[in-house]
Amino acid sequence: MITYRVGEPEDAEAVAALYAAAPLRRPIHDRARLKAMIAGANVFASARDGERLVGFLRGFTDGVYDGFICDLAVHRDYHKHGIGKELMRLVIEPTPEVQWVLLASPLAKDYYGHVGWTHSPSCWIRARGGWTPGSYEEFEKEHEELRKKA
Ligand SMILES: CC(C)(COP(=O)(O)OP(=O)(O)OC[C@H]1O[C@@H](n2cnc3c(N)ncnc32)[C@H](O)[C@@H]1OP(=O)(O)O)[C@@H](O)C(=O)NCCC(=O)NCCS
Protein backbone atom coordinates (compact mmCIF):
# COMPACT_ATOMS: atom_id res chain seq x y z
CA MET A 1 0.00 0.00 0.00
CA ILE A 2 1.25 3.48 -0.82
CA THR A 3 1.24 5.99 2.03
CA TYR A 4 1.53 9.74 1.67
CA ARG A 5 3.04 12.50 3.77
CA VAL A 6 2.59 16.23 3.23
CA GLY A 7 4.62 19.21 4.41
CA GLU A 8 7.79 17.36 5.42
CA PRO A 9 11.11 17.48 3.58
CA GLU A 10 12.94 14.27 2.75
CA ASP A 11 16.53 13.20 3.20
CA ALA A 12 18.72 14.35 0.29
CA GLU A 13 20.24 10.87 -0.19
CA ALA A 14 16.82 9.27 -0.65
CA VAL A 15 15.70 12.11 -2.93
CA ALA A 16 18.86 11.80 -5.05
CA ALA A 17 18.27 8.06 -5.51
CA LEU A 18 14.62 8.64 -6.36
CA TYR A 19 15.48 11.32 -8.93
CA ALA A 20 18.02 8.94 -10.48
CA ALA A 21 15.31 6.27 -10.69
CA ALA A 22 12.42 8.46 -11.93
CA PRO A 23 14.41 9.85 -13.84
CA LEU A 24 14.30 13.55 -12.96
CA ARG A 25 17.33 15.51 -14.15
CA ARG A 26 18.45 17.64 -11.24
CA PRO A 27 21.98 18.34 -9.90
CA ILE A 28 21.91 15.25 -7.68
CA HIS A 29 25.68 14.80 -8.08
CA ASP A 30 26.02 17.98 -5.99
CA ARG A 31 24.55 16.94 -2.64
CA ALA A 32 25.17 20.32 -1.02
CA ARG A 33 23.09 21.97 -3.73
CA LEU A 34 20.38 19.29 -3.50
CA LYS A 35 20.24 19.74 0.28
CA ALA A 36 19.87 23.50 -0.20
CA MET A 37 17.13 22.93 -2.80
CA ILE A 38 15.20 20.90 -0.22
CA ALA A 39 15.96 23.17 2.73
CA GLY A 40 14.90 26.27 0.80
CA ALA A 41 11.56 24.89 -0.38
CA ASN A 42 8.31 25.02 1.61
CA VAL A 43 6.01 22.63 -0.23
CA PHE A 44 6.58 18.89 0.06
CA ALA A 45 4.64 15.73 -0.53
CA SER A 46 6.05 12.20 -0.43
CA ALA A 47 4.84 8.74 -1.34
CA ARG A 48 6.20 5.57 0.25
CA ASP A 49 5.82 1.90 -0.35
CA GLY A 50 6.67 0.69 3.14
CA GLU A 51 9.92 2.50 3.96
CA ARG A 52 10.82 3.04 0.31
CA LEU A 53 10.49 6.59 -1.03
CA VAL A 54 8.72 6.18 -4.39
CA GLY A 55 7.42 9.69 -5.06
CA PHE A 56 8.34 13.24 -4.10
CA LEU A 57 7.06 16.71 -4.89
CA ARG A 58 9.01 19.84 -3.99
CA GLY A 59 7.82 23.43 -4.43
CA PHE A 60 7.11 26.86 -2.98
CA THR A 61 3.97 28.76 -2.10
CA ASP A 62 2.86 31.82 -0.17
CA GLY A 63 -0.29 29.82 0.55
CA VAL A 64 -2.72 32.44 -0.71
CA TYR A 65 -1.83 33.50 -4.25
CA ASP A 66 1.18 31.95 -5.96
CA GLY A 67 2.72 28.50 -5.98
CA PHE A 68 5.46 26.83 -7.98
CA ILE A 69 6.08 23.11 -8.28
CA CYS A 70 9.81 22.62 -8.79
CA ASP A 71 10.14 18.83 -8.82
CA LEU A 72 7.71 15.96 -9.23
CA ALA A 73 9.28 12.52 -9.40
CA VAL A 74 7.84 9.02 -9.20
CA HIS A 75 10.09 5.95 -9.25
CA ARG A 76 9.86 4.36 -12.69
CA ASP A 77 8.69 1.05 -11.17
CA TYR A 78 5.63 2.92 -9.88
CA HIS A 79 4.68 5.03 -12.89
CA LYS A 80 1.02 5.18 -13.91
CA HIS A 81 -0.36 4.12 -10.54
CA GLY A 82 -1.82 7.56 -9.80
CA ILE A 83 1.02 8.60 -7.44
CA GLY A 84 2.02 11.76 -9.33
CA LYS A 85 -1.59 12.87 -9.51
CA GLU A 86 -2.13 12.21 -5.79
CA LEU A 87 1.04 14.12 -4.77
CA MET A 88 -0.22 17.15 -6.69
CA ARG A 89 -3.76 16.82 -5.30
CA LEU A 90 -2.36 16.80 -1.76
CA VAL A 91 -0.64 20.16 -2.21
CA ILE A 92 -3.13 21.85 -4.55
CA GLU A 93 -6.46 21.02 -2.88
CA PRO A 94 -5.71 22.74 0.45
CA THR A 95 -4.72 25.97 -1.37
CA PRO A 96 -7.71 26.93 -3.56
CA GLU A 97 -6.58 30.59 -3.81
CA VAL A 98 -3.18 29.67 -5.23
CA GLN A 99 -2.28 29.69 -8.91
CA TRP A 100 0.22 26.86 -9.35
CA VAL A 101 2.88 27.04 -12.06
CA LEU A 102 5.50 24.53 -13.23
CA LEU A 103 7.94 23.78 -16.02
CA ALA A 104 7.31 20.36 -17.55
CA SER A 105 10.22 18.04 -18.25
CA PRO A 106 10.45 16.58 -21.78
CA LEU A 107 9.21 13.24 -20.40
CA ALA A 108 6.14 14.91 -18.92
CA LYS A 109 5.26 17.32 -21.71
CA ASP A 110 1.84 15.72 -22.25
CA TYR A 111 1.28 14.73 -18.63
CA TYR A 112 0.10 17.98 -17.11
CA GLY A 113 -2.50 18.65 -19.79
CA HIS A 114 -3.77 15.14 -19.19
CA VAL A 115 -4.18 15.76 -15.45
CA GLY A 116 -5.97 19.10 -15.73
CA TRP A 117 -3.30 21.80 -16.08
CA THR A 118 -3.60 24.60 -18.65
CA HIS A 119 -0.67 25.34 -20.97
CA SER A 120 0.53 28.95 -20.76
CA PRO A 121 2.24 30.72 -23.67
CA SER A 122 3.26 33.55 -21.31
CA CYS A 123 5.95 31.72 -19.35
CA TRP A 124 9.34 33.50 -19.26
CA ILE A 125 12.59 32.20 -17.85
CA ARG A 126 15.86 33.66 -16.56
CA ALA A 127 18.33 30.83 -16.89
CA ARG A 128 20.21 29.63 -13.81
CA GLY A 129 23.95 29.06 -13.67
CA GLY A 130 26.07 26.23 -12.35
CA TRP A 131 24.57 23.17 -13.99
CA THR A 132 22.53 22.45 -17.09
CA PRO A 133 20.87 19.07 -17.61
CA GLY A 134 22.44 16.99 -20.35
CA SER A 135 20.66 14.18 -22.17
CA TYR A 136 18.65 11.57 -20.33
CA GLU A 137 21.18 8.97 -21.55
CA GLU A 138 24.03 10.84 -19.86
CA PHE A 139 22.02 11.31 -16.66
CA GLU A 140 21.04 7.61 -16.55
CA LYS A 141 24.63 6.51 -17.16
CA GLU A 142 26.08 8.87 -14.56
CA HIS A 143 23.64 7.66 -11.87
CA GLU A 144 23.35 3.97 -12.71
CA GLU A 145 24.54 2.85 -9.27
CA LEU A 146 22.56 5.45 -7.34
CA ARG A 147 19.36 4.43 -9.13
CA LYS A 148 19.64 0.93 -7.64
CA LYS A 149 19.45 2.41 -4.14
CA ALA A 150 15.98 3.91 -4.72
C1 LIG B 1 5.57 12.44 -14.90
C2 LIG B 1 5.38 11.57 -13.68
C3 LIG B 1 5.58 12.41 -12.41
C4 LIG B 1 3.94 11.02 -13.69
O1 LIG B 1 3.70 10.35 -12.49
P1 LIG B 1 2.81 9.02 -12.44
O2 LIG B 1 2.56 8.72 -11.01
O3 LIG B 1 3.45 7.99 -13.28
O4 LIG B 1 1.49 9.51 -13.19
P2 LIG B 1 -0.02 9.22 -12.74
O5 LIG B 1 -0.14 7.75 -12.44
O6 LIG B 1 -0.43 10.20 -11.72
O7 LIG B 1 -0.76 9.50 -14.10
C5 LIG B 1 -2.04 10.14 -14.16
C6 LIG B 1 -2.54 10.06 -15.57
O8 LIG B 1 -1.57 10.62 -16.47
C7 LIG B 1 -1.12 9.63 -17.44
N1 LIG B 1 0.33 9.80 -17.60
C8 LIG B 1 1.31 9.37 -16.76
N2 LIG B 1 2.51 9.75 -17.24
C9 LIG B 1 2.29 10.42 -18.39
C10 LIG B 1 3.13 11.05 -19.32
N3 LIG B 1 4.48 11.07 -19.15
N4 LIG B 1 2.56 11.67 -20.40
C11 LIG B 1 1.22 11.68 -20.56
N5 LIG B 1 0.34 11.09 -19.68
C12 LIG B 1 0.89 10.47 -18.62
C13 LIG B 1 -1.47 8.30 -16.80
O9 LIG B 1 -1.63 7.30 -17.78
C14 LIG B 1 -2.76 8.63 -16.07
O10 LIG B 1 -3.80 8.71 -17.03
P3 LIG B 1 -5.33 8.29 -16.64
O11 LIG B 1 -5.72 9.14 -15.47
O12 LIG B 1 -6.07 8.61 -17.89
O13 LIG B 1 -5.28 6.84 -16.30
C15 LIG B 1 6.34 10.34 -13.66
O14 LIG B 1 6.19 9.66 -14.89
C16 LIG B 1 7.80 10.73 -13.48
O15 LIG B 1 8.28 10.84 -12.36
N6 LIG B 1 8.52 10.90 -14.61
C17 LIG B 1 9.95 11.20 -14.57
C18 LIG B 1 10.24 12.54 -13.89
C19 LIG B 1 9.53 13.67 -14.58
O16 LIG B 1 9.67 13.89 -15.78
N7 LIG B 1 8.76 14.42 -13.77
C20 LIG B 1 8.06 15.59 -14.21
C21 LIG B 1 8.87 16.79 -13.89
S1 LIG B 1 8.13 18.24 -14.53
Side-chain angles (χ1 to χ4, degrees):
M1 192 186 72
I2 304 296
T3 56
Y4 293 90
R5 186 167 84 155
V6 186
E8 301 287 337
E10 293 288 346
D11 173 63
E13 285 306 313
V15 171
L18 173 64
Y19 287 6
L24 183 66
R25 295 173 306 172
R26 295 292 184 270
I28 57 177
H29 61 281
D30 182 348
R31 292 295 203 282
R33 195 171 186 184
L34 180 62
K35 279 183 188 165
M37 286 162 62
I38 296 169
N42 72 354
V43 173
F44 307 102
S46 319
R48 281 196 160 69
D49 184 1
E51 291 295 304
R52 188 183 189 192
L53 184 69
V54 298
F56 187 54
L57 181 159
R58 181 184 72 90
F60 300 94
T61 187
D62 54 29
V64 291
Y65 197 71
D66 289 306
F68 187 77
I69 292 178
C70 306
D71 304 342
L72 175 64
V74 175
H75 191 296
R76 74 181 77 203
D77 293 352
Y78 293 78
H79 282 183
K80 301 202 173 174
H81 285 68
I83 295 174
K85 213 169 149 178
E86 179 64 5
L87 291 171
M88 286 191 284
R89 188 190 69 76
L90 288 168
V91 303
I92 291 171
E93 261 189 24
T95 54
E97 296 176 306
V98 172
Q99 172 181 271
W100 289 92
V101 175
L102 61 78
L103 292 174
S105 74
L107 294 180
K109 67 178 174 39
D110 299 322
Y111 176 63
Y112 295 101
H114 191 76
V115 295
W117 288 65
T118 306
H119 182 256
S120 168
S122 56
C123 171
W124 293 84
I125 295 174
R126 292 290 295 261
R128 65 172 72 83
W131 181 78
T132 308
S135 69
Y136 278 103
E137 290 72 21
E138 284 165 356
F139 185 79
E140 299 261 31
K141 197 158 180 248
E142 185 181 350
H143 300 297
E144 213 169 332
E145 289 309 309
L146 180 61
R147 187 169 80 214
K148 294 176 191 159
K149 296 182 183 163

